[in-house]
Amino acid sequence: MKTVLMVAEKPSLAQSIAKILSRGNMSSRKGLNGACSVHEYTGSFIGQSAHFKMTSVCGHVMTLDFIGKYNSWDKVDPAELFSKAPTEKKEANPKLTMVKFLQVEGRGCDCIVLWLDCDKEGENICFEVLDAVLPVMNKPRGTERTIYRAKFSSITDTDICNAMNHLGEPNRNEALSVDARQELDLRIGCAFTRFQTKYFQGKYGNLDSSLISFGPCQTPTLGFCVERHDKIQSFKPETYWVLQAKVNPEKESSLTLDWDRVRVFDRMVEMKGLPVTKLQNFYWENKVKQRPLALNTVEMLRVASAALGMGPQHAMQIAERLYTQGYISYPRTETTHYPENFDLKGCLRQQANNPYWADTVKALLSEGINRPRKGHDAGDHPPITPMRAATEAELGGDGWRLYEYITRHFIATVSADCKYLQTTISFSIGPERFTCIGKVVTSPGFTEIMSWHSIPLEESLPHCEKGDLFPVGEIKLLEKQTSPPDYLTEAELITLMEKHGIGTDASIPVHINNICQRNYVTVESGRRLKPTNLGIVLVHGYYKIDAELVLPTIRSAVEKQLNLIALGKANYHQVLEHTLDIFKRKFHYFVDSIAGMDELMEVSFSPLAATGKPLSRCGKCHRFMKYIQAKPSRLHCSHCDDTYSLPQNGTIKLYKELRCPLDDFELVLWSSGSRGKSYPLCPYCYNHPPFRDMKKGMGCNECTHPTCQHSLSMLGIGQCVECESGVLVLDSTSGPKWKMACNKCNVIVHFFENAHKVRVSPETCELCDAALVDVDFNKAKSPLPGDETQHSGCVFCDPVFQDLVELKHAAMRHPMHRGGQGKRQGRGRGKGRRPGGRLNPKKPKDKMAALAAYFV
């Protein structure tokens, strides 16, 4: 019996696919990484009995990154990142140990079936999975085929079974095109980002952005927004005139006429107050408003933003969730044309009982559906289609609103066109000609289900004939002024990005989200994107130095080359080398010309010396350094012209005016809040590690100074109960609600509340090697037995302390800023014993279970 490993892109997809293929007759277990499950069943595979193991990854297994010193902003010239800097594939999420998990499950398997998403990113993940599992799978006999690729567009029984019966092979060229895009974005983005971030943050204090990033797609996206801003700012209103007329066909009714010349920019309009006007022409014609094309990703994102008020990234996340739950087909597609064999009626029948559109659906099924309009076939996935019925109670909130739109759009594509009768009458008043148009719907067609597209109710025009006379009720010349355009909406930006080939249907939401996250634009009412000062200055600076850095032309050309790689028509290495050479030349010119952008920055932003407020003293000149709170928060000494990075996403204050024994800098205290962790740090040591076993970004709680009273050596208590490399360090500022916190992860241990004093003893526990703790309570509040006020013991092993210890996780607004993973130093390297001195059982995979095992 063969063993077949099958891998999907998400755990929920793996479960759904396995359930369909096994007809529900499967067993499930958790994988060793705790995040992915394994579903097993027996069945038939290519005419042979087989044991199937269906599991998943969690998106990309690997990510591209620089090696060693090239990850340091300080040790490497950004120009080296274009060619000299070597790259390597690293695990995208090391905590998931995905490679090890795949190898454990793949060991001894004979075949592998790849159920990754059917797009270029999915093909790339296919080869990441293969790189992990092929070395441990059984070797094929001769030319025996062992690698299979399933192609599917929805999580339905029909589609999944059809994919299993028509297995193909993964596409190496599409995977290579993704590799090329990743390497280009990494090298180009990092080089420009590192240079301009260090340059401008070293000069200006109120940029309010932790990263001055550049991206080959992100920057042209920002360029569109700033271009519209510039049009608004440079707009000069012009005066124009409109001739407005009304006629009265009957005593109590009037018709407003449209002037044939619309408007004029000079006042040379002859007006005569004529009492009557003659009808010059009267005609009617049948008109048709076409039903929409089938729905693709870009159109879905446009509507989600413009009509549903959802940001593109939020809308895409909801669409992906609806897909993995089986409610809609694959949501990333450029196609607007249904294949001939697509089961339109089957999808429509699924909606026959929904009270919102049941009548329309039943009428279509009984009278016959209309074939959808012929759209664009990009050769990827069918258009986005509802695959099974849902209710508002099932999906709720934004999930239901997006599903409802997708469903209504699909029903509209198989409905009839909207038909209406348009009547037009023409008048002459003096030398000027006017018209009036009326519309009467004869067949609503698709507008019944998409009511927002319906023909507005117009005034029905009276029956009349050529030459009839009508009394003129009013005629006047109105003076008006032109108005500026408004800021781009997300929907308009998406249209521009698609038109100019910036990003893909999957990456467009990411690029828009990036310019918002970087504080380059803000989202205003109506989901309009208004550039900030920083975004405006950056784009103007790029235009001043090299317009191609911000114009969409060069990125559009690169995207075409990447598509040629995917089609096998261009060489991966040649495209990579050629594109990097172009951007390397542009980078050198940008660096040489940075003064041009700097001139613009000077006008909009304040220099470091003029920003912030005095906080702590510099150890070199002993003058006060200024604390700059705007992102990224930092300290600046204007006398020495030095800037010192600080931990982000917390508060900084002076730490008792104490000084570092190494450099005489005053210490500052970083805190994530009353429920979080805090630690002191020396600004100089934080940026210039004093010992070899320390890395940049480490505070006093990781400092290995042997005698400093604030260091890990003096305040470290024991090994963290959750992470492998952290040490629990006493927070000497936390009294009377004392706590110790891990210097690597966000574990916090609260203990000895209301104690007068807590000190770390130089003695260690005989059982677990943790440092002993001396605790001194006030007599009135002492919880110690026998009214004792002092006790010395081990936090982990001493039975007197066990009821006084409570473990929690730090409350963080953002991910914790952490230093590098160095060797554990100083005291307190526990030996993995639990309270009472008994050896710990093997740590449970579930984190909360792990905590319970340590603190019982």
Side-chain angles (χ1 to χ4, degrees):
M1 181 183 287
K2 284 192 173 184
T3 302
V4 181
L5 177 67
M6 303 199 293
V7 183
E9 191 155 323
K10 295 185 181 75
S12 56
L13 277 177
Q15 183 179 12
S16 299
I17 294 169
K19 195 172 182 180
I20 292 170
L21 293 176
S22 68
R23 294 180 173 82
N25 187 23
M26 64 182 186
S27 62
S28 300
R29 58 181 169 83
K30 275 282 184 187
L32 67 85
N33 64 0
C36 303
S37 296
V38 183
H39 312 282
E40 299 184 71
Y41 65 96
T42 55
S44 176
F45 183 70
I46 314 181
Q48 299 180 44
S49 60
H51 175 72
F52 291 93
K53 294 167 69 176
M54 166 61 91
T55 187
S56 73
V57 291
C58 297
H60 273 284
V61 179
M62 311 299 286
T63 186
L64 190 70
D65 203 357
F66 294 114
I67 292 174
K69 69 174 185 178
Y70 294 95
N71 273 316
S72 170
W73 285 40
D74 300 318
K75 294 180 180 178
V76 176
D77 182 347
E80 294 183 34
L81 302 181
F82 285 98
S83 53
K84 292 184 181 179
T87 59
E88 66 176 346
K89 291 272 190 176
K90 299 177 181 177
E91 284 204 51
N93 190 340
K95 289 184 178 179
L96 290 177
T97 59
M98 193 61 72
V99 172
K100 182 180 178 182
F101 164 69
L102 289 171
Q103 289 177 342
V104 167
E105 298 303 335
R107 192 175 302 279
C109 289
D110 301 293
C111 301
I112 182 169
V113 182
L114 299 158
W115 290 86
L116 286 308
D117 286 352
C118 299
D119 56 12
K120 291 172 187 172
E121 294 290 337
E123 297 302 319
N124 190 261
I125 301 173
C126 282
F127 287 93
E128 293 175 355
V129 172
L130 291 175
D131 288 342
V133 300
L134 285 182
V136 300
M137 286 175 58
N138 293 335
K139 301 300 178 188
R141 300 167 189 166
T143 57
E144 184 184 18
R145 184 179 167 195
T146 58
I147 301 169
Y148 299 86
R149 176 72 162 110
K151 294 279 187 177
F152 59 102
S153 295
S154 62
I155 314 301
T156 60
D157 293 13
T158 303
D159 214 10
I160 296 302
C161 293
N162 187 57
M164 192 65 178
N165 293 329
H166 299 86
L167 296 171
E169 295 182 0
N171 189 319
R172 170 69 73 177
N173 290 326
E174 288 191 359
L176 282 175
S177 74
V178 174
D179 283 338
R181 178 183 282 108
Q182 287 178 349
E183 187 161 348
L184 289 174
D185 289 351
L186 176 71
R187 292 185 182 276
I188 296 166
C190 283
F192 278 92
T193 297
R194 288 186 190 183
F195 171 73
Q196 62 188 27
T197 299
K198 290 188 72 176
Y199 186 88
F200 291 119
Q201 285 186 351
K203 294 191 70 174
Y204 303 101
N206 57 342
L207 297 175
D208 201 25
S209 182
S210 54
L211 205 65
I212 315 298
S213 64
F214 174 94
C217 288
Q218 170 195 299
T219 303
T221 302
L222 174 61
F224 291 130
C225 299
V226 175
E227 182 184 14
R228 176 61 65 88
H229 168 84
D230 291 342
K231 286 180 180 177
I232 295 169
Q233 295 301 308
S234 62
F235 182 83
K236 293 181 180 178
E238 290 185 75
T239 302
Y240 66 92
W241 287 266
V242 175
L243 199 56
Q244 181 178 294
K246 291 182 180 179
V247 296
N248 300 322
E250 298 172 6
K251 285 185 179 181
E252 296 184 359
S253 66
S254 66
L255 294 176
T256 300
L257 309 181
D258 297 318
W259 189 24
D260 284 9
R261 286 206 279 167
V262 185
R263 64 181 182 179
V264 293
F265 288 89
D266 57 58
R267 209 172 181 281
M268 303 298 290
V269 180
E270 185 179 347
M271 288 176 50
K272 294 182 179 179
L274 300 176
V276 293
T277 179
K278 182 185 288 187
L279 191 148
Q280 299 291 321
N281 202 357
F282 176 94
Y283 63 94
W284 57 266
E285 57 184 327
N286 289 307
K287 293 246 179 183
V288 172
K289 186 173 185 177
Q290 284 191 311
R291 59 193 181 276
L293 288 168
L295 186 64
N296 66 4
T297 306
V298 169
E299 181 62 18
M300 179 190 72
L301 295 177
R302 272 197 289 253
V303 173
S305 176
L308 305 180
M310 298 181 199
Q313 189 158 34
H314 178 56
M316 201 68 222
Q317 289 168 349
I318 292 171
E320 287 174 353
R321 191 182 78 230
L322 292 174
Y323 161 67
T324 57
Q325 292 173 340
Y327 290 107
I328 65 172
S329 62
Y330 193 61
R332 290 195 286 268
T333 177
E334 297 175 13
T335 294
T336 57
H337 176 73
Y338 282 107
E340 293 298 321
N341 61 350
F342 193 90
D343 186 11
L344 295 166
K345 284 187 177 179
C347 293
L348 198 59
R349 285 191 197 99
Q350 293 281 340
Q351 306 298 330
N353 295 318
N354 191 297
Y356 289 102
W357 43 73
D359 292 342
T360 303
V361 169
K362 288 174 182 176
L364 283 170
L365 289 171
S366 63
E367 297 168 11
I369 65 172
N370 290 275
R371 186 72 199 167
R373 290 168 57 197
K374 188 178 175 81
H376 169 65
D377 185 359
D380 49 359
H381 285 271
I384 303 169
T385 309
M387 301 311 296
R388 67 184 175 99
T391 64
E392 189 171 359
E394 278 178 72
L395 304 181
D398 290 344
W400 166 254
R401 294 197 301 135
L402 188 61
Y403 173 83
E404 181 185 14
Y405 168 72
I406 291 169
T407 305
R408 287 183 181 276
H409 191 110
F410 167 69
I411 297 170
T413 61
V414 295
S415 298
D417 292 336
C418 173
K419 297 177 182 177
Y420 60 95
L421 186 69
Q422 180 172 296
T423 306
T424 306
I425 53 179
S426 302
F427 295 91
S428 290
I429 302 177
E432 302 297 336
R433 293 180 61 83
F434 297 84
T435 55
C436 187
I437 296 174
K439 296 174 185 175
V440 177
V441 175
T442 55
S443 175
F446 78 94
T447 61
E448 278 189 333
I449 195 72
M450 297 180 86
S451 56
W452 57 92
H453 282 303
S454 60
I455 303 294
L457 293 172
E458 303 277 353
E459 293 180 19
S460 57
L461 300 182
H463 179 74
C464 46
E465 294 182 3
K466 186 176 180 180
D468 285 355
L469 298 176
F470 286 78
V472 177
E474 178 186 274
I475 184 164
K476 57 185 177 182
L477 191 64
L478 302 178
E479 182 179 312
K480 296 186 177 184
Q481 283 197 322
T482 55
S483 57
D486 212 334
Y487 285 103
L488 282 179
T489 63
E490 286 172 331
E492 291 168 338
L493 179 58
I494 292 167
T495 301
L496 286 170
M497 293 174 73
E498 182 191 34
K499 177 183 175 182
H500 293 281
I502 300 300
T504 63
D505 53 358
S507 65
I508 282 174
V510 176
H511 301 315
I512 295 176
N513 186 62
N514 281 344
I515 64 173
C516 296
Q517 293 292 318
R518 297 285 184 263
N519 195 33
Y520 294 162
V521 299
T522 57
V523 182
E524 306 291 318
S525 62
R527 302 209 67 84
R528 295 190 178 274
L529 301 170
K530 183 178 180 180
T532 62
N533 277 344
L534 180 57
I536 294 164
V537 171
L538 282 174
V539 169
H540 289 173
Y542 295 134
Y543 271 116
K544 193 173 182 180
I545 297 171
D546 182 355
E548 284 192 335
L549 292 175
V550 72
L551 289 172
T553 48
I554 191 166
R555 182 60 191 192
S556 180
V558 171
E559 288 288 348
K560 288 176 183 176
Q561 291 298 310
L562 294 174
N563 285 332
L564 290 176
I565 293 175
L567 295 170
K569 296 179 180 179
N571 182 274
Y572 163 80
H573 295 288
Q574 289 177 353
V575 170
L576 206 60
E577 187 178 343
H578 176 68
T579 306
L580 287 174
D581 183 61
I582 291 173
F583 274 96
K584 184 178 181 180
R585 294 169 188 269
K586 289 184 174 295
F587 177 78
H588 283 296
Y589 183 74
F590 180 74
V591 171
D592 293 340
S593 310
I594 194 65
M597 184 182 282
D598 197 21
E599 290 172 0
L600 302 176
M601 286 280 187
E602 285 179 345
V603 176
S604 298
F605 300 103
S606 304
L608 280 173
T611 313
K613 58 183 181 180
L615 180 70
S616 64
R617 290 186 184 273
C618 171
K620 298 177 182 179
C621 66
H622 300 289
R623 289 176 169 86
F624 276 105
M625 296 188 292
K626 286 189 173 181
Y627 172 46
I628 299 163
Q629 204 165 354
K631 290 182 181 179
S633 57
R634 53 211 190 274
L635 286 168
H636 177 70
C637 177
S638 55
H639 184 264
C640 302
D641 196 21
D642 286 331
T643 304
Y644 300 97
S645 300
L646 294 171
Q648 303 298 304
N649 307 317
T651 59
I652 293 284
K653 61 183 180 181
L654 190 62
Y655 185 53
K656 304 177 183 177
E657 297 186 358
L658 297 172
R659 294 177 181 268
C660 175
L662 294 172
D663 48 48
D664 212 30
F665 274 71
E666 281 190 330
L667 303 182
V668 294
L669 183 73
W670 177 87
S671 173
S672 65
S674 58
R675 292 185 298 159
K677 60 192 280 187
S678 58
Y679 58 85
L681 62 109
C682 164
Y684 189 84
C685 294
Y686 188 83
N687 290 270
H688 306 91
F691 304 111
R692 288 183 180 179
D693 54 5
M694 290 181 64
K695 293 184 179 180
K696 186 176 179 179
M698 289 187 172
C700 296
N701 62 344
E702 295 182 84
C703 177
T704 54
H705 192 292
T707 59
C708 176
Q709 60 177 319
H710 316 293
S711 69
L712 169 65
S713 304
M714 300 299 286
L715 297 178
I717 294 177
Q719 182 180 344
C720 178
V721 296
E722 186 166 327
C723 70
E724 295 180 357
S725 59
V727 176
L728 292 168
V729 181
L730 174 66
D731 183 349
S732 56
T733 67
S734 58
K737 296 186 177 182
W738 297 93
K739 59 190 175 186
M740 58 180 176
C742 177
N743 59 6
K744 296 292 185 186
C745 71
N746 64 342
V747 163
I748 286 184
V749 178
H750 293 269
F751 53 12
F752 315 131
E753 187 169 352
N754 296 319
H756 174 62
K757 191 177 290 184
V758 177
R759 293 179 301 275
V760 180
S761 167
E763 303 298 323
T764 57
C765 175
E766 294 179 359
L767 292 173
C768 71
D769 201 31
L772 300 183
V773 177
D774 299 329
V775 186
D776 186 355
F777 281 97
N778 291 322
K779 192 167 186 177
K781 296 184 178 180
S782 176
L784 299 175
D787 292 330
E788 294 289 329
T789 59
Q790 295 181 340
H791 187 78
S792 180
C794 176
V795 172
F796 302 102
C797 305
D798 194 322
V800 174
F801 283 164
Q802 279 197 1
D803 292 336
L804 307 178
V805 177
E806 178 187 6
L807 185 141
K808 291 185 177 179
H809 282 76
M812 299 298 296
R813 293 189 298 273
H814 300 281
M816 175 67 66
H817 175 93
R818 286 189 277 180
Q821 301 284 325
K823 291 182 181 179
R824 285 171 279 145
Q825 298 289 339
R827 74 151 66 84
R829 290 180 289 169
K831 295 179 180 175
R833 294 181 182 269
R834 64 180 300 187
R838 291 166 290 166
L839 285 171
N840 274 330
K842 185 178 179 182
K843 284 189 182 182
K845 302 283 188 302
D846 180 71
K847 285 191 173 183
M848 294 314 294
L851 302 184
Y854 279 105
F855 288 85
V856 291

